[in-house]
Amino acid sequence: MQFEGTQNYVASDDLKVAVNAVVKLRRPLLIKGEPGTGKTVLAHEISKALDAPLIEWNIKSTTKAHQGLYEYDAVARLRDSQLGDERVHDIKNYIKKGKLWDAFTSPKLPVLLIDEVDKADIEFPNDLLQELDRMEFYVYETQELIKAAERPIVVITSNNEKELPDAFLRRCFFHYIKFPDRETMQEIINVHFPDIQKILVSRAMDIFYEVRDVPGLKKKPSTSELLDWLKLLLYEDMPLEVLQNKDPTKAIPPLHGALLKNEQDIMLFERLAFMARRNS
């Protein structure tokens, strides 16, 4: 199995090397990078490229590690026992399988995505160390060992919101997705908009990278936001002259809501436009 990117995903040479190393080593692939740089989509594309089922575990701030293994619903069993339900005699009826259980017992080698691991409590990664290392865990309620016949391909994403423990990092193959340069961004746009006017893309990218370079910007627009913006420009049939207008007194780009995602950044651009008008 060899990952070379896909028709819908432009992968750098370094990223291809990282994915193929993980496929061989079967170490978890830890992917970091700015939000919107394609970390989550990567797992979907690896799944397609390798013809492997995708199992997604989306992490929240309240997620606990044991939920990835299994959960035992003691309350439901107590309720059923009070109601005289026959299900109560088989404890397996009250075991809810987690995503790791699904991955370990999948009949076909899967891709397991643990998405945004840094959203959970700081102890979350440590609590999964043994299970990810040994690819097995014990179910005490049923006294059975759940063990992977073949180590799944594990992709773990992080937005760098929290530092991850060293012991966890040691067990992963790490790759940081750099923000695409202009040439790579052009390739990504060509994949999504094969028939788009080159001059429109050129000017839109000028504006996009200028916005990203503005000092003091709280949230820089991402690749996915550029694609959304281009889609809107096409949908609204935005005249090219609007994008080519370099009037500094109109610093906010058209349809800026696709690029600027908080009021502080919009106010920053409004101040820049105000200062340009005052100095003109």
Side-chain angles (χ1 to χ4, degrees), residues 185-197:
M185 189 67 82
Q186 181 72 61
E187 290 182 45
I188 294 170
I189 291 170
N190 290 343
V191 165
H192 292 271
F193 304 100
D195 301 320
I196 195 170
Q197 286 184 18

Side-chain angles (χ1 to χ4, degrees), residues 205-237:
M205 282 206 293
D206 287 344
I207 294 172
F208 174 74
Y209 282 104
E210 285 169 9
V211 169
R212 280 185 58 86
D213 288 341
V214 170
L217 205 62
K218 185 175 181 181
K219 185 198 176 302
K220 295 182 178 183
S222 67
T223 306
S224 62
E225 286 157 347
L226 171 59
L227 296 176
D228 286 344
W229 188 48
L230 284 171
K231 191 182 296 182
L232 277 173
L233 292 175
L234 291 172
Y235 181 78
E236 296 290 339
D237 198 18

Side-chain angles (χ1 to χ4, degrees), residues 55-57 64-72 95-106 112 137 139 146:
I55 297 172
E56 294 185 71
W57 187 14
K64 302 299 180 186
H66 70 84
Q67 294 172 320
L69 310 179
Y70 69 93
E71 292 182 90
Y72 169 53
I95 299 289
K96 180 184 177 182
K97 297 178 181 180
K99 299 298 184 180
L100 267 70
W101 188 325
D102 290 340
F104 290 179
T105 57
S106 173
L112 171 63
F137 62 90
V139 183
I146 306 300

Side-chain angles (χ1 to χ4, degrees), residues 8 12-13 17 54 76 87 96 118 121 149 170 198 204 225 231-232 239 242 252 279:
N8 299 317
S12 67
D13 290 339
V17 168
L54 178 68
R87 285 166 38 89
K96 180 184 177 182
D118 52 328
D121 184 85
R170 192 168 63 247
K198 290 184 179 179
E225 286 157 347
K231 191 182 296 182
L232 277 173
V242 175
I252 299 183
N279 295 330

